[in-house]
């Protein structure tokens, strides 16, 4: 066999060369197919989106208020009139009037009205007496206003005592000089009891004088 190949001049069969050629053909065929294939899938036509435009209505602004009317013009006053004062000439003083003539009246002068009667004087005969044992428990209350204002004084009361020993009439014979002290003495005397006057073995009404002393040192 070897001798026959050498005689014809042909090269001997080689598996390596055959595989290399087959690989080369396969590579070229694959490259050719790659060139024929498209680079990417065809893009589908995109659907056009509907463009929706929103319209919002804006109300126009209100018209501006009308301007205020101009103030009325004050009426024009006329210019003041200049009045010239005319000074009269000095006049002489009037003559003195004559002295009045006094006429002697014959009508008698009326008598003056009678004077009002004088108030009755307090009785000098004081026969009723004060019940000290009873009245010592009913001392007059010192007014708070007099305490604040530091008022002191002595009130002399003239009291008409009834047959039951209760006061029937109370008068201020001599004031302390302060009204609130006088009222406090009268209020206390209304609750007092007295020993009535006794005449012919019977109780009768009579007057009694009672001094009421208001002294801040006794509080």
């Amino acid at each position: 066999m070897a001798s026959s190949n050498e005689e014809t001049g042909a090269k001997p069969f080689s598996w390596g060369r055959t595989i290399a050629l087959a690989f080369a053909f396969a590579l070229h065929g694959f490259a050719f197919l790659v060139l024929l294939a498209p680079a990417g899938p065809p893009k589908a036509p995109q659907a056009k989106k509907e463009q929706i435009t929103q319209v919002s209505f804006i109300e126009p602004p209100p018209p501006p208020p009308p301007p205020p009317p101009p103030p009325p013009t004050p009426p024009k006053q006329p210019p003041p009139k200049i009045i010239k004062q005319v000074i009269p000439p000095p006049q002489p003083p009037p003559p003195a009037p004559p002295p009045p003539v006094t006429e002697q009246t014959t009508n008698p002068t009326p008598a003056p009205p009678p004077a009002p009667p004088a108030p009755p004087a307090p009785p000098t005969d004081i026969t009723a007496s004060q019940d000290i044992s009873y009245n010592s428990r009913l001392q007059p209350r010192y007014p708070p206003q007099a305490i604040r204002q530091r008022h002191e004084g002595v009130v002399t009361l003239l009291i008409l005592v009834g047959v039951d020993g209760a006061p029937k009439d109370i008068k201020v014979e001599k004031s302390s000089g302060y009204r609130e002290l006088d009222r406090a003495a009268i209020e206390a005397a209304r609750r007092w009891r007295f020993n009535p006057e006794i005449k012919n073995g019977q109780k009768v009404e009579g007057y009694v004088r009672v001094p009421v002393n208001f002294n801040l040192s006794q509080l």
Side-chain angles (χ1 to χ4, degrees):
M1 180 73 63
S3 62
S4 61
N5 289 338
E6 291 177 358
E7 291 178 358
T8 58
K11 292 181 180 181
F13 180 75
S14 176
W15 285 100
R17 185 173 59 243
T18 303
I19 294 172
L21 290 175
F23 181 77
F25 283 124
L27 182 63
H28 283 83
F30 179 75
F32 182 73
L33 292 176
V34 170
L35 292 176
L36 292 179
K43 296 182 180 179
Q46 296 180 357
K48 293 184 179 180
K49 297 182 178 180
E50 296 181 359
Q51 295 181 358
I52 301 174
T53 305
Q54 295 182 358
V55 179
S56 59
F57 296 94
I58 301 176
E59 296 183 0
T73 57
K76 295 183 179 180
Q77 298 181 355
K81 296 181 180 180
I82 301 175
I83 301 175
K84 295 183 179 180
Q85 294 183 355
V86 179
I87 302 176
Q91 297 181 359
V101 179
T102 57
E103 296 181 358
Q104 187 176 2
T105 58
T106 57
N107 296 331
T109 57
T124 57
D125 186 11
I126 304 300
T127 55
S129 62
Q130 184 180 5
D131 190 352
I132 303 299
S133 62
Y134 180 85
N135 296 341
S136 60
R137 294 174 296 176
L138 299 174
Q139 294 298 325
R141 178 174 173 269
Y142 217 115
Q145 180 182 357
I147 296 176
R148 290 193 301 267
Q149 298 179 358
R150 310 296 296 176
H151 290 171
E152 296 179 339
V154 179
V155 184
T156 303
L157 300 178
L158 184 63
I159 304 173
L160 176 61
V161 180
V163 295
D164 56 351
K168 296 185 63 176
D169 187 21
I170 304 174
K171 296 180 180 179
V172 177
E173 188 178 35
K174 184 178 180 182
S175 174
S176 63
Y178 302 104
R179 186 177 299 177
E180 64 271 13
L181 296 182
D182 296 347
R183 285 200 299 261
I186 294 174
E187 291 296 330
R190 289 174 180 170
R191 297 174 294 169
W192 289 347
R193 292 297 177 269
F194 299 87
N195 299 321
E197 180 184 1
I198 298 177
K199 288 184 177 180
N200 298 326
Q202 293 182 356
K203 296 179 180 180
V204 295
E205 297 180 355
Y207 283 90
V208 61
R209 287 190 181 93
V210 182
V212 182
N213 186 14
F214 290 93
N215 194 344
L216 294 174
S217 61
Q218 297 177 359
L219 295 179

